[in-house]
Amino acid sequence: MKITFMGAGSTVFARNVIGDCMCTEALRDSVFALYDIDGERLKESQVILEAMRKAKGGFGKIECYLGVGQRKEALRGASFVINAIQVGGYDPCTITDFEIPKKFGLRQTIGDTLGIGGIMRALRTIPVMEDFARDMAEVCPDALFLNYTNPMAMLTGYMLRYTPVKTIGLCHSVQVCSEGLLKALDMEEKLEGRKELIAGINHMAWLLEIKDKNGVDLYPEIKARAAKKMQEPDFKDKVRFDYINHLGYYCTESSEHNGEYNPFYIKGRYPELIGRYNIPLDEYPRRCVNQIEAWKKEYAELLENGVKEHERSGEYASRIMESVVTGAPCQIGGNVLNTGGLVTNLPEEACVEVPCLVNGSGIHPCHVGSLPVQCAAMNMTNINVQLLAIEAAHTRRLSHIYQAAMLDPHTAAELDIDSIRKMVDELIAAHGDYLPKYH
């Protein structure tokens, strides 16, 4: 069996996901094909993963493929393809996505999922993923494509609507949502045996139900404790706790992400909100710089002291592959098209995040029904942008990029239409060859 990792220069993530496979008896004897366009990063991943492979008993084989010319061979015969690419990287593209909007008075925190940063990231990533899809249709047409790259809903939605590739979108936030909430509220005793239901869209899926092992609804106590937590000046998850107060439900992704998915918290006319809600402006560029430096130190330490023992993580990828290979079922939170109305009050062409059963015949999304109307309404403000960005990528029409930006809730709350169009034009010009031509 062959497992191909696209963007294997994402060394820490490749180590976690491929390391998980090496911890799994049904997967450990696979050929692990590592693909990247950066030779130095690819070599670092190879060194780390080879050391891990030997430490785990020497099962399987690692192969490396560098550059577009070797991409098709990296994919040839793969059963599973994991996608973790970042087109344009931190420098120049992430810097561009933050600095040009800042000139127009538009501040962001993460900029990889929604907003103008998410739109531009989608537009430069989709053409590369289309190339992957064409190669896969030729050399591994039955492979399952596991997408981890953001903006999740835009990229996964595009792959499912406009390519023949079997695709599932995977995020890290679903499986840690309720655990993080209960720990933050000193309710750890409720973790064991808890029952939950999470559904919505990526980074804004809602913890619709949470009960303890005896079936007792935990939300009344959660709401009472959350209200008190909001009074702590240094508490960092205030946006999501504010959601509990005003919308009635907690959501999956962090407050630094959700701070920019709406018109409520980052407002030029109300600068005091930044401090009140602990909004970390420019968080993603800062995080990128810190991660680059941290990885240099960690890599040097690994070369000197050897690879640390890897235990299977909570990532879904290895569990999905194990279930497909062995037939033993598991449940995940996955990003899929809303085909057949899995969430009945969201559009069928939307990419939704819902519980999915995985077994030997593949991935089976579960019907959820209606979201609370206020939760669906919040999701729709994001889905509008996602669908327009997908339409822009598909049609190559510039007007759809403008419209996606105009309908983004945070962008629209801060800028007038003329400024939005000028900002889009500047971003397109600055990204240059990272984007296709639009008309």
Side-chain angles (χ1 to χ4, degrees), residues 20-22 70 79 90 92 111 137 171-172 188 207 248 261 284 320 340 381 384 400 411 425:
D20 288 351
C21 296
M22 292 175 180
Q70 294 187 12
S79 298
Y90 163 65
C171 187
H172 322 282
E188 289 96 334
L207 182 61
Y261 298 164
Y284 189 65
I320 291 170
T381 66
N384 291 332
H400 289 319
T411 303
D425 289 341

Short mmCIF file of all heavy atoms in Angstrom, two decimals, residues 20-22 70 79 90 92 111 137 171-172 188 207 248 261 284 320 340 381 384 400 411 425:
data_model
loop_
_atom_site.label_atom_id
_atom_site.label_comp_id
_atom_site.label_asym_id
_atom_site.label_seq_id
_atom_site.Cartn_x
_atom_site.Cartn_y
_atom_site.Cartn_z
N ASP A 20 1.90 8.60 13.06
CA ASP A 20 0.68 7.87 13.46
C ASP A 20 0.54 6.59 12.66
O ASP A 20 0.16 5.53 13.19
CB ASP A 20 -0.56 8.74 13.25
CG ASP A 20 -0.67 9.87 14.25
OD1 ASP A 20 0.11 9.90 15.23
OD2 ASP A 20 -1.54 10.73 14.06
N CYS A 21 0.82 6.67 11.35
CA CYS A 21 0.73 5.48 10.50
C CYS A 21 1.74 4.42 10.94
O CYS A 21 1.45 3.22 10.92
CB CYS A 21 0.97 5.84 9.04
SG CYS A 21 -0.26 6.95 8.31
N MET A 22 2.93 4.87 11.32
CA MET A 22 3.95 3.93 11.78
C MET A 22 3.58 3.27 13.10
O MET A 22 4.11 2.21 13.43
CB MET A 22 5.29 4.67 11.93
CG MET A 22 5.89 5.14 10.62
SD MET A 22 7.40 6.13 10.89
CE MET A 22 7.87 6.52 9.20
N GLN A 70 8.26 15.48 -10.67
CA GLN A 70 8.16 14.18 -10.01
C GLN A 70 6.81 13.97 -9.32
O GLN A 70 6.59 12.93 -8.70
CB GLN A 70 9.28 14.02 -8.99
CG GLN A 70 10.67 13.96 -9.60
CD GLN A 70 11.75 13.63 -8.59
OE1 GLN A 70 11.48 13.21 -7.46
NE2 GLN A 70 13.00 13.80 -8.99
N SER A 79 -2.95 4.73 -2.47
CA SER A 79 -4.28 4.42 -1.92
C SER A 79 -4.86 5.62 -1.18
O SER A 79 -6.07 5.82 -1.15
CB SER A 79 -4.20 3.23 -0.97
OG SER A 79 -3.76 2.07 -1.65
N TYR A 90 4.83 31.66 3.94
CA TYR A 90 4.74 32.86 4.77
C TYR A 90 5.29 34.08 4.02
O TYR A 90 4.67 35.15 4.03
CB TYR A 90 5.51 32.64 6.07
CG TYR A 90 5.84 33.91 6.82
CD1 TYR A 90 4.82 34.71 7.36
CD2 TYR A 90 7.16 34.35 6.95
CE1 TYR A 90 5.11 35.90 8.03
CE2 TYR A 90 7.46 35.53 7.62
CZ TYR A 90 6.44 36.29 8.15
OH TYR A 90 6.73 37.47 8.80
N PRO A 92 6.46 35.13 0.26
CA PRO A 92 5.85 36.45 0.39
C PRO A 92 4.35 36.47 0.69
O PRO A 92 3.82 37.51 1.07
CB PRO A 92 6.07 37.04 -1.00
CG PRO A 92 5.93 35.85 -1.92
CD PRO A 92 6.52 34.70 -1.15
N GLY A 111 -6.31 34.95 9.07
CA GLY A 111 -6.37 35.19 7.64
C GLY A 111 -6.16 33.97 6.76
O GLY A 111 -5.72 34.11 5.62
N ALA A 137 -6.43 11.54 -11.15
CA ALA A 137 -7.38 10.89 -12.05
C ALA A 137 -6.67 9.94 -13.01
O ALA A 137 -7.25 8.93 -13.43
CB ALA A 137 -8.17 11.94 -12.82
N CYS A 171 -9.93 18.65 10.00
CA CYS A 171 -9.44 19.74 10.84
C CYS A 171 -9.04 19.16 12.19
O CYS A 171 -9.40 18.05 12.54
CB CYS A 171 -10.53 20.80 11.00
SG CYS A 171 -10.00 22.30 11.85
N HIS A 172 -8.30 19.95 12.96
CA HIS A 172 -7.85 19.49 14.27
C HIS A 172 -8.83 19.86 15.39
O HIS A 172 -8.70 19.39 16.51
CB HIS A 172 -6.49 20.12 14.62
CG HIS A 172 -5.57 20.23 13.46
ND1 HIS A 172 -4.85 19.16 12.97
CD2 HIS A 172 -5.24 21.28 12.68
CE1 HIS A 172 -4.13 19.56 11.94
NE2 HIS A 172 -4.34 20.84 11.75
N GLU A 188 -13.50 18.93 34.46
CA GLU A 188 -12.84 17.72 33.94
C GLU A 188 -13.54 16.43 34.33
O GLU A 188 -13.47 15.43 33.61
CB GLU A 188 -11.38 17.66 34.43
CG GLU A 188 -10.46 18.67 33.80
CD GLU A 188 -10.30 19.90 34.67
OE1 GLU A 188 -11.22 20.21 35.46
OE2 GLU A 188 -9.26 20.56 34.56
N LEU A 207 -21.15 23.12 18.93
CA LEU A 207 -21.35 22.06 19.93
C LEU A 207 -22.84 22.09 20.29
O LEU A 207 -23.26 22.78 21.21
CB LEU A 207 -20.47 22.32 21.15
CG LEU A 207 -20.52 21.29 22.27
CD1 LEU A 207 -20.08 19.91 21.79
CD2 LEU A 207 -19.66 21.75 23.46
N GLY A 248 -25.96 31.06 22.18
CA GLY A 248 -26.43 29.88 22.90
C GLY A 248 -25.58 28.65 22.76
O GLY A 248 -25.85 27.64 23.43
N TYR A 261 -14.29 36.25 11.86
CA TYR A 261 -15.30 35.63 10.99
C TYR A 261 -16.64 36.36 11.03
O TYR A 261 -17.63 35.85 10.52
CB TYR A 261 -15.54 34.17 11.40
CG TYR A 261 -14.36 33.24 11.30
CD1 TYR A 261 -14.37 32.01 11.95
CD2 TYR A 261 -13.24 33.58 10.56
CE1 TYR A 261 -13.29 31.14 11.87
CE2 TYR A 261 -12.16 32.72 10.48
CZ TYR A 261 -12.19 31.50 11.13
OH TYR A 261 -11.13 30.64 11.05
N TYR A 284 -1.24 35.36 12.99
CA TYR A 284 -0.68 34.32 12.11
C TYR A 284 0.73 34.65 11.63
O TYR A 284 1.62 33.79 11.69
CB TYR A 284 -1.62 34.05 10.94
CG TYR A 284 -1.21 32.85 10.13
CD1 TYR A 284 -1.22 31.57 10.69
CD2 TYR A 284 -0.78 32.98 8.82
CE1 TYR A 284 -0.83 30.47 9.96
CE2 TYR A 284 -0.39 31.89 8.07
CZ TYR A 284 -0.41 30.63 8.65
OH TYR A 284 -0.01 29.54 7.93
N ILE A 320 -8.79 7.07 9.83
CA ILE A 320 -9.58 6.89 8.60
C ILE A 320 -8.96 5.80 7.74
O ILE A 320 -9.64 4.87 7.27
CB ILE A 320 -9.66 8.21 7.82
CG1 ILE A 320 -10.51 9.23 8.57
CG2 ILE A 320 -10.22 7.99 6.41
CD1 ILE A 320 -10.45 10.63 7.99
N GLY A 340 -27.85 16.10 -0.29
CA GLY A 340 -29.01 15.48 0.32
C GLY A 340 -29.48 16.18 1.57
O GLY A 340 -30.34 15.66 2.28
N THR A 381 -23.27 33.54 6.74
CA THR A 381 -22.43 34.71 6.43
C THR A 381 -21.05 34.28 5.95
O THR A 381 -20.41 34.98 5.17
CB THR A 381 -22.27 35.62 7.67
OG1 THR A 381 -21.54 34.94 8.69
CG2 THR A 381 -23.61 36.08 8.21
N ASN A 384 -21.56 32.25 2.26
CA ASN A 384 -21.68 33.18 1.12
C ASN A 384 -20.31 33.49 0.53
O ASN A 384 -20.13 33.48 -0.71
CB ASN A 384 -22.33 34.50 1.59
CG ASN A 384 -23.78 34.33 1.96
OD1 ASN A 384 -24.48 33.46 1.45
ND2 ASN A 384 -24.26 35.18 2.86
N HIS A 400 -16.37 38.01 -9.25
CA HIS A 400 -16.70 37.13 -8.13
C HIS A 400 -15.70 37.29 -6.97
O HIS A 400 -16.06 37.07 -5.81
CB HIS A 400 -16.75 35.68 -8.57
CG HIS A 400 -17.94 35.35 -9.43
ND1 HIS A 400 -19.20 35.84 -9.16
CD2 HIS A 400 -18.07 34.57 -10.54
CE1 HIS A 400 -20.05 35.38 -10.07
NE2 HIS A 400 -19.39 34.63 -10.92
N THR A 411 -14.80 42.33 6.50
CA THR A 411 -14.37 43.31 5.49
C THR A 411 -15.45 44.35 5.25
O THR A 411 -15.18 45.56 5.22
CB THR A 411 -14.02 42.59 4.18
OG1 THR A 411 -13.01 41.60 4.44
CG2 THR A 411 -13.52 43.56 3.13
N ASP A 425 -7.62 44.55 -6.04
CA ASP A 425 -6.74 44.78 -7.19
C ASP A 425 -5.27 44.80 -6.76
O ASP A 425 -4.41 44.23 -7.43
CB ASP A 425 -7.09 46.11 -7.87
CG ASP A 425 -8.41 46.07 -8.61
OD1 ASP A 425 -8.88 44.95 -8.91
OD2 ASP A 425 -8.98 47.14 -8.88
#
